[in-house]
Amino acid sequence: MASTTMTIRMDEEEKQLISDYAKVFGVSTSEFMRKSALERIEDELDLEDWKRAKAEFDADPAAEVAKKYL
């Protein structure tokens, strides 16, 4: 997979906090930022899926239970 560069702007204190945190976990700042961003996106998508499933269940709980067990 080809790599590309993304630049973000932050103040020095934020940069130091992120760098120190990444160092504690033995990863580069770049790896930490990449994983954090991707995990956040995954969490948001999972939450949207859950909301959709919850709405379907709330609309007709019996149908959802029947689908699962019958």
Side-chain angles (χ1 to χ4, degrees):
M1 175 170 71
S3 291
T4 186
T5 299
M6 179 182 281
T7 302
I8 60 171
R9 298 191 188 286
M10 64 184 70
D11 65 34
E12 187 59 38
E13 189 175 306
E14 292 169 330
K15 179 184 175 191
Q16 193 60 53
L17 175 64
I18 291 168
S19 295
D20 290 347
Y21 194 85
K23 193 180 293 183
V24 166
F25 289 97
V27 297
S28 68
T29 302
S30 178
E31 178 72 10
F32 173 74
M33 295 294 289
R34 183 174 50 258
K35 282 185 173 183
S36 295
L38 293 172
E39 286 174 8
R40 173 67 186 263
I41 292 168
E42 183 179 349
D43 289 348
E44 292 289 331
L45 294 173
D46 288 347
L47 180 59
E48 289 304 313
D49 287 344
W50 179 84
K51 287 178 181 177
R52 226 176 347 269
K54 177 86 166 86
E56 287 178 24
F57 179 81
D58 289 346
D60 190 1
E64 292 300 313
V65 171
K67 223 181 347 182
K68 184 172 183 175
Y69 296 104
L70 300 178

